[in-house]
Amino acid sequence: MDSLYNGSFNISNETSQEDFRLLLKALDASISGIILTDNRLQDNPIIYCNKAFEEISGYDRNEIIGHNCRFLQKEDRDQKERSFLRDAIRDGKSCVVDIRNYKKDGTLFYNELYMSPIKDDEGKVIYFIGVQNDVTKRKKVEQELRQQQEIMEKRVAERTKSLKESEDYLNSIVQTVRESLIVLDPEFKVLSVNDHFLKTFKVTSEDTLGKLLYDLGNGQWDISALKELLESILPTNNPVEEFEVEHDFPHIGKKLMLLNAHRIELEGQYKDRILIAIEDITDRREIERRKDDFLSIASHELKTPLTTIKGLVQVMQRMVPPEVNDKFKAILDKTGVYINRLNNLIAELLDVSRIQTGNIELHKEEFDFDKTVHETVEAIQVATKSHEIQIVGNTNERIKADESHIIQVINNLLSNAIKYSPDHKAIIVYLSRVSDFAKFSITDKGMGIKLEDQKKIFDRFFRVGDIQQRFPGMGIGLYICDQIIKNHGGSLLVESETGNGSTFSFTLPLNIITA
Ligand code: ADP
């Protein structure tokens, strides 16, 4: 076979020999490895290889020529590419495979191998030409890409699974809540509703989905104040809170509904959507009304006999004969004190029902505000040994207001400051004039009130947490104070921090001053 490499084939003339040498040189100049195998010889041995093949394989020509090219696979025989190659050679066809081959030093390289038959005039395969390229780098990149793709696919599958799970989870919440939920697009068209909505309003999804909110039912939500609030949600991000709608709804009759609406956003998706939660508060409101009625009737009914008892005790106190022992007198006095306490509680309950029905009456008269504050504080201080109340500043104003109601407010704030700061002696009352307002503030260093509770302490019957055992009360004092101050055109505010005490301040406008 050397003869082929040396160009000593049986070539007839000088020109042909020259052409042949040129051809061999050209083959050696190729960067692809090239081999020729002789199919007529036993085991189809390599009869020619170019220089690039020596470089790719790491073997010398004389180690290559005469052998079947399978030696390049070393022990790695179990490759499907090998059987492609074998079949193509057997059938005298061309084929292309990427086969794992090993250099002389054992290094793996991927060989991109083109095998083509060379046939004689009768069509019999006499040689195969193999063109080979080391594509290890490409293979490595392909492999890395495949691995990356697999990782990505795995991640996508996991993410899809977790999205599906969170969607199912959200759906189950949305379908379970006992509130009606509607999602609107920015044009206020209904995108979805939950089952509770359909059941509450006795409608089908067809009646609802894709419709304009304001066209639902008989236009129950077509209320200009609500429209205005809803329309400001997207541009301002201000939610609609506790909006009451009383309406004669189709299918379900007259109901009172409470609406809360928010802009919703989910990881950057659906950012311009509005979620409306609707709660039917008809029954709750009715129960509240009955409770108020009961309190109002009960306190009225209690007031009359109590006034009689109070009068009778006073008569008894006056009629006590001098020879009666001190214990009897002390018991009678204590009875009087407890009757007074009961009287005050009932008076508070009556105040609440009067406020509820708008029957609170103010008897405004001019009085010296600072003097009234001093007298009220002194009266409390006399009865309180546990705390020291200090008054700082003054307003120097005479105001026109319902003095007894203002005293009631001051008393309430003072007794709260004492009650809710059992371990801190100091209470400070500040008096000042701020612009055209008289200002009263009271600071204690007691238990304080957490922010979320501060919003509710002016509500009727609200008491913070679980304090009933330690601090008995009804949770109506601040409600009454707030209403009284509002009725005078002022405002009552709280500033507080849990564990760091509270400051309650009220203002009264001086435009009612006649001094
Ligand atoms: P009551 O004292 O009868 O509960 P109020 O309406 O006067 O009713 O007060 C409502 C709630 O506000 C109280 O239950 C208490 O939890 C809280 N509170 C009021 N004043 C203070 C204060 N000075 N310090 C801490 N908590 C207070």
Side-chain angles (χ1 to χ4, degrees):
M1 300 302 130
D2 253 9
S3 56
L4 179 65
Y5 187 65
N6 296 331
S8 55
F9 246 104
N10 190 15
I11 291 174
S12 51
N13 59 47
E14 272 297 304
T15 327
S16 300
Q17 274 188 21
E18 188 51 35
D19 285 351
F20 186 67
R21 263 194 295 274
L22 188 64
L23 187 64
L24 288 177
K25 273 191 179 163
L27 289 176
D28 268 344
S30 161
I31 53 163
S32 301
I34 296 169
I35 53 167
L36 266 181
T37 65
D38 193 335
N39 199 35
R40 293 164 304 182
L41 299 177
Q42 205 258 325
D43 205 21
N44 194 20
I46 300 171
I47 56 165
Y48 167 79
C49 73
N50 70 348
K51 287 222 163 83
F53 185 79
E54 287 179 299
E55 266 158 41
I56 292 172
S57 69
Y59 288 96
D60 275 346
R61 227 191 123 255
N62 45 11
E63 294 170 298
I64 296 167
I65 305 298
H67 301 289
N68 182 289
C69 47
R70 79 174 74 84
F71 73 91
L72 288 170
Q73 281 118 48
K74 292 213 159 148
E75 306 302 312
D76 191 2
R77 297 292 164 95
D78 197 16
Q79 305 184 47
K80 63 179 184 314
E81 287 76 10
R82 274 172 51 83
S83 54
F84 289 157
L85 204 53
R86 233 188 351 254
D87 293 350
I89 291 170
R90 185 195 61 214
D91 301 340
K93 292 188 173 149
S94 29
C95 77
V96 187
V97 288
D98 282 351
I99 190 160
R100 285 193 301 276
N101 281 349
Y102 295 84
K103 294 180 191 253
K104 189 176 173 184
D105 65 4
T107 322
L108 165 75
F109 71 98
Y110 279 89
N111 189 355
E112 184 192 56
L113 171 63
Y114 296 83
M115 276 293 261
S116 287
I118 300 173
K119 298 180 180 168
D120 62 13
D121 295 343
E122 280 140 37
K124 211 169 148 232
V125 179
I126 45 175
Y127 298 109
F128 276 97
I129 178 162
V131 180
Q132 344 221 349
N133 285 304
D134 182 348
V135 291
T136 312
K137 275 194 193 135
R138 195 191 77 202
K139 274 278 165 192
K140 220 169 147 198
V141 171
E142 275 173 11
Q143 244 168 21
E144 279 169 7
L145 265 175
R146 209 172 309 119
Q147 272 166 5
Q148 283 299 329
Q149 202 176 340
E150 275 165 20
I151 292 170
M152 286 301 287
E153 276 166 9
K154 213 170 140 208
R155 279 205 198 132
V156 168
E158 279 166 8
R159 186 97 180 93
T160 314
K161 192 168 162 249
S162 89
L163 270 177
K164 174 89 181 67
E165 277 167 8
S166 21
E167 199 183 316
D168 290 350
Y169 175 66
L170 281 178
N171 255 335
S172 63
I173 294 175
V174 165
Q175 295 305 350
T176 317
V177 286
R178 293 187 49 76
E179 273 187 341
S180 300
L181 301 176
I182 315 182
V183 178
L184 302 177
D185 73 4
E187 269 74 51
F188 304 98
K189 279 210 184 104
V190 180
L191 289 173
S192 60
V193 290
N194 68 345
D195 287 351
H196 198 268
F197 178 91
L198 301 177
K199 273 189 215 140
T200 304
F201 293 96
K202 295 202 168 59
V203 287
T204 60
S205 343
E206 293 80 63
D207 299 332
T208 320
L209 299 183
K211 302 259 165 71
L212 203 65
L213 173 76
Y214 309 120
D215 292 342
L216 293 186
N218 53 10
Q220 60 237 30
W221 312 114
D222 192 3
I223 304 163
S224 54
L226 175 65
K227 245 184 191 171
E228 217 172 280
L229 288 171
L230 286 176
E231 273 161 21
S232 77
I233 289 184
L234 293 182
T236 64
N237 221 353
N238 280 340
V240 175
E241 280 173 342
E242 317 267 287
F243 188 90
E244 287 184 15
V245 176
E246 194 167 13
H247 188 82
D248 199 352
F249 292 88
H251 317 299
I252 57 169
K254 207 160 180 212
K255 295 274 173 195
L256 181 61
M257 299 287 177
L258 191 69
L259 253 80
N260 280 288
H262 289 260
R263 172 176 179 264
I264 48 170
E265 185 165 357
L266 186 68
E267 286 182 9
Q269 307 171 25
Y270 320 140
K271 67 176 179 201
D272 280 340
R273 295 195 181 171
I274 300 167
L275 172 70
I276 306 183
I278 304 165
E279 194 187 346
D280 181 352
I281 55 163
T282 319
D283 294 346
R284 194 168 84 200
R285 201 38 74 76
E286 177 57 18
I287 291 167
E288 276 169 15
R289 196 190 56 75
R290 283 195 211 156
K291 195 174 72 189
D292 288 342
D293 285 356
F294 168 77
L295 277 178
S296 160
I297 294 164
S299 40
H300 269 108
E301 292 302 312
L302 287 169
K303 181 94 184 156
T304 323
L306 192 67
T307 312
T308 312
I309 295 170
K310 189 176 171 178
L312 292 175
V313 169
Q314 280 166 353
V315 171
M316 276 165 78
Q317 279 171 324
R318 279 198 301 273
M319 284 170 57
V320 178
E323 62 275 15
V324 166
N325 66 19
D326 286 349
K327 201 170 174 194
F328 182 83
K329 278 191 211 154
I331 291 173
L332 210 53
D333 287 347
K334 234 183 190 163
T335 311
V337 169
Y338 280 105
I339 287 174
N340 273 343
R341 258 191 220 171
L342 193 55
N343 211 23
N344 286 342
L345 286 177
I346 289 174
E348 277 198 333
L349 284 175
L350 276 173
D351 276 344
V352 172
S353 64
R354 277 194 210 111
I355 292 168
Q356 285 300 105
T357 50
N359 285 338
I360 189 161
E361 274 178 38
L362 296 181
H363 301 287
K364 289 184 185 171
E365 271 174 44
E366 194 188 301
F367 64 92
D368 181 332
F369 185 60
D370 297 351
K371 187 163 164 267
T372 302
V373 171
H374 275 268
E375 283 171 3
T376 315
V377 168
E378 269 158 34
I380 290 233
Q381 183 68 83
V382 170
T384 313
K385 302 279 163 281
S386 57
H387 289 74
E388 251 169 42
I389 311 163
Q390 192 194 345
I391 303 177
V392 177
N394 47 53
T395 65
N396 289 324
E397 293 293 344
R398 291 178 65 77
I399 63 170
K400 194 174 180 188
D402 187 320
E403 190 179 7
S404 66
H405 275 119
I406 299 301
I407 292 175
Q408 190 182 349
V409 172
I410 298 171
N411 265 330
N412 230 314
L413 298 180
L414 277 169
S415 51
N416 276 351
I418 293 169
K419 181 156 77 166
Y420 298 111
S421 65
D423 308 320
H424 296 83
K425 235 172 169 295
I427 290 171
I428 307 175
V429 169
Y430 298 92
L431 293 176
S432 59
R433 190 189 155 153
V434 180
S435 174
D436 46 355
F437 288 89
K439 182 174 174 182
F440 171 101
S441 296
I442 176 163
T443 298
D444 65 64
K445 294 280 162 218
M447 57 199 285
I449 306 158
K450 57 176 187 264
L451 201 64
E452 61 189 87
D453 288 333
Q454 288 176 27
K455 292 179 200 148
K456 302 182 211 151
I457 52 170
F458 300 112
D459 292 348
R460 274 183 305 155
F461 307 115
F462 180 81
R463 308 206 70 220
V464 172
D466 195 11
I467 56 166
Q468 194 62 29
Q469 291 289 337
R470 212 170 147 214
F471 306 105
M474 292 196 291
I476 51 177
L478 287 179
Y479 169 71
I480 295 169
C481 293
D482 187 45
Q483 295 295 323
I484 291 175
I485 297 298
K486 273 190 186 133
N487 277 324
H488 278 85
S491 57
L492 172 63
L493 290 181
V494 60
E495 284 164 88
S496 184
E497 218 182 284
T498 319
N500 267 338
S502 314
T503 297
F504 284 86
S505 310
F506 70 79
T507 53
L508 289 169
L510 294 176
N511 56 15
I512 48 171
I513 292 170
T514 53

